[in-house]
Amino acid sequence: MNYAWMETPIGRLLLISDDNGLRRIDFANGNSRPDAAWHDNPAALKETIGQLGAYFASELKEFDVPLAPEGTQFQKNVWRCLCEIPYGETISYGELARHVGNPKASRAVGLANGANPIPIIIPCHRVIGSDGKLTGYGGGLSVKETLLSLEAQGRAR
């Protein structure tokens, strides 16, 4: 595994990849630490760092780095559907459950959304409550709000 730290407008991120692609993005909220067996290798994550930098500068709306998240088949299906939510738009958990093909699975979809190991690039921040309110986010609600505001400004360009 390779890792690199990245400073962003939402704080420090820990990026983790292997030969298959990007495995995780962790918010550096005090709990994120690289495993001792991993290699500090920013060069291996150069493309991801570049695309995230362009995203935060509102110059990139769609990522195309290779992804290799680990999860169940259901989780991977939810994460694939998350990637289909257009930049700057939001949907509810119920809508996401319909996209996944199981309209009654909004609770399970919410759990899969919360287990997303590659936030930002797999845009789980674009899922909100059915009442339009922001709901939980691994990086905190202020980070979710910042990402949605960034995308709203980027859409206006």
Side-chain angles (χ1 to χ4, degrees):
M1 293 283 209
N2 297 298
Y3 75 91
W5 290 100
M6 180 179 180
E7 299 295 333
T8 74
I10 59 168
R12 201 168 190 217
L13 300 175
L14 176 61
L15 313 176
I16 304 148
S17 73
D18 65 13
D19 292 340
N20 295 315
L22 186 65
R23 291 282 182 177
R24 289 191 356 229
I25 295 178
D26 290 350
F27 296 100
N29 54 11
N31 302 329
S32 298
R33 289 186 177 75
D35 187 282
W38 298 351
H39 304 283
D40 184 358
N41 188 357
L45 288 143
K46 182 180 177 184
E47 186 63 28
T48 301
I49 292 168
Q51 287 191 30
L52 282 167
Y55 169 83
F56 285 114
S58 296
E59 297 168 356
L60 179 82
K61 296 180 179 171
E62 268 187 57
F63 294 95
D64 67 357
V65 294
L67 303 179
E70 292 183 9
T72 67
Q73 195 55 50
F74 178 78
Q75 288 172 326
K76 289 178 181 181
N77 192 29
V78 170
W79 301 336
R80 182 188 52 73
C81 288
L82 288 172
C83 291
E84 295 170 3
I85 304 169
Y87 177 93
E89 294 185 20
T90 59
I91 66 171
S92 70
Y93 289 97
E95 290 174 278
L96 183 56
R98 284 190 290 283
H99 285 285
V100 170
N102 191 344
K104 295 182 180 181
S106 55
R107 179 173 245 128
V109 162
L111 291 171
N113 194 53
N116 173 17
I118 308 177
I120 306 164
I121 293 177
I122 298 177
C124 54
H125 61 277
R126 296 180 188 155
V127 183
I128 60 173
S130 59
D131 59 1
K133 292 185 180 176
L134 300 187
T135 55
Y137 189 66
L141 286 182
S142 64
V143 169
K144 184 173 190 166
E145 186 173 27
T146 299
L147 292 171
L148 293 173
S149 293
L150 173 89
E151 291 184 9
Q153 292 170 1
R155 263 185 96 187
R157 288 185 178 190

